[in-house]
Amino acid sequence: DIDHLNLRVQKELVEWLNWLKADIGFDGWRFDFAKGYSADVAKIYIDRSEPSFAVAEIWTSLAYGGDGKPNLNQDQHRQELVNWVDKVGGKGPATTFDFTTKGILNVAVEGELWRLRGTDGKAPGMIGWWPAKAVTFVDNHDTGSTQHMWPFPSDRVMQGYAYILTHPGTSCIFYDHFFDWGLKEEIDRLVSVRTRHGIHSESKLQIIEADADLYLAEIDGKVIVKLGPRYDVGNLIPAGFKVAAHGNDYAVW
C-alpha cells in the first residue's frame, strides 16, 4: 500500500510525474482507483505536475431497485463524480470517467431507451450536469475485455458509440472495440461526424424523444442521433438533414 498522506511519498510521486512529463513526453494522467485516496491528495499531484488533462476512475455502484435494474434517478451516483472534480479544482484539467452514463446506457439499449432522459429532461449521467468534466465510454479494460466485469451488451456496442460520439462530454474509444471487434470503420464514421460538426464536451443537447424503442436527440442544432429499432421517425427529422452514419438500430443525420 502507498501512504498518500506521507509527505515524502507525495514529493517523490510529484517528481516522478514531472519526469514523465518533461523527459518522456506524457501530458495527462489517469488516476486509477481514485476513490482509494482523497480528492485532496489528487489535487496535490495535479497542481504540482500541471498536466493538460487528468481523468479519475471513481467506480461505485449505481442505485438499484427491487427488479435488479438501475433506478431512474441516479443523482447520488453522479453527484459523487461531480464532488470529486469540485474538490480537485473545477477550473483545472481534472475530469472523471462518467460511470453513471455507462451504467444507464448498459440497460437502456436493451429496450428501455426512456432511461436516457432524466427527470429534468436532460441526459441522466454526469454529462447532464457537468459535461465538460465527464469522460464517456462504452467499455474499458475492467468492464469489458478479458475481465468482463460490467460489459456492455455485445450486440449493441455501436448504439453505445452512436450515443457517446454524438453527445457532450469527452468521448473515449475502447481499444478492443476499435482494433479487435471489426468496428473500426463504423466508429470512424461517427468520429468523422463529431469532428466535422465540431461537437465538443460542452455541446448543447436537446432530447426530442425517449421511449422504450426510440431515443432521438439533436446536438448543437447540427447533428441528430437515433437509437432503437423504430423506423418511422421521418416526421421528427427537420428538413435538410441527411443520414451520415447508420448501423444496427442506430442512425446519425
Side-chain angles (χ1 to χ4, degrees), residues 59-245:
W59 185 359
T60 56
S61 179
L62 272 65
Y64 288 89
D67 59 357
K69 293 183 178 180
N71 295 336
L72 181 60
N73 186 319
Q74 296 293 337
D75 287 357
Q76 186 176 345
H77 192 268
R78 55 180 172 172
Q79 186 65 55
E80 190 171 355
L81 302 178
V82 166
N83 289 348
W84 189 91
V85 175
D86 259 336
K87 288 180 181 177
V88 172
K91 293 182 179 178
T95 65
T96 65
F97 286 112
D98 190 349
F99 276 93
T100 319
T101 289
K102 152 72 172 167
I104 293 169
L105 256 183
N106 267 25
V107 181
V109 296
E110 300 272 34
E112 299 182 4
L113 292 166
W114 49 267
R115 292 179 176 275
L116 297 179
R117 176 159 54 193
T119 53
D120 58 1
K122 299 179 181 179
M126 188 182 177
I127 59 171
W129 279 1
W130 203 356
K133 296 297 184 177
V135 176
T136 53
F137 66 103
V138 174
D139 264 329
N140 63 28
H141 62 286
D142 290 321
T143 68
S145 196
T146 53
Q147 298 202 63
H148 224 60
M149 292 167 70
W150 200 27
F152 204 85
S154 60
D155 58 337
R156 300 170 194 268
V157 160
M158 283 309 304
Q159 286 187 58
Y161 281 110
Y163 184 88
I164 69 168
L165 288 171
T166 57
H167 278 54
T170 300
S171 40
C172 192
I173 297 166
F174 186 35
Y175 181 100
D176 290 24
H177 293 158
F178 196 73
F179 291 105
D180 301 337
W181 284 40
L183 300 176
K184 183 179 185 297
E185 285 187 18
E186 270 192 272
I187 292 173
D188 267 341
R189 276 196 292 273
L190 292 170
V191 171
S192 295
V193 170
R194 186 178 184 88
T195 305
R196 190 163 63 247
H197 293 286
I199 304 300
H200 54 87
S201 64
E202 296 182 86
S203 285
K204 183 184 177 185
L205 171 67
Q206 180 196 353
I207 299 172
I208 301 168
E209 203 74 59
D211 296 327
D213 63 343
L214 172 67
Y215 172 79
L216 195 69
E218 187 173 307
I219 301 88
D220 283 347
K222 301 174 181 177
V223 172
I224 293 177
V225 60
K226 183 209 83 148
L227 305 182
R230 194 191 300 178
Y231 284 99
D232 56 334
V233 297
N235 60 317
L236 298 172
I237 309 297
F241 280 83
K242 295 181 179 179
V243 175

Side-chain angles (χ1 to χ4, degrees), residues 45-65:
Y45 298 143
I46 290 173
D47 288 351
R48 296 181 187 174
S49 64
E50 299 184 338
S52 59
F53 180 76
V55 58
E57 179 201 43
I58 304 165
W59 185 359
T60 56
S61 179
L62 272 65
Y64 288 89

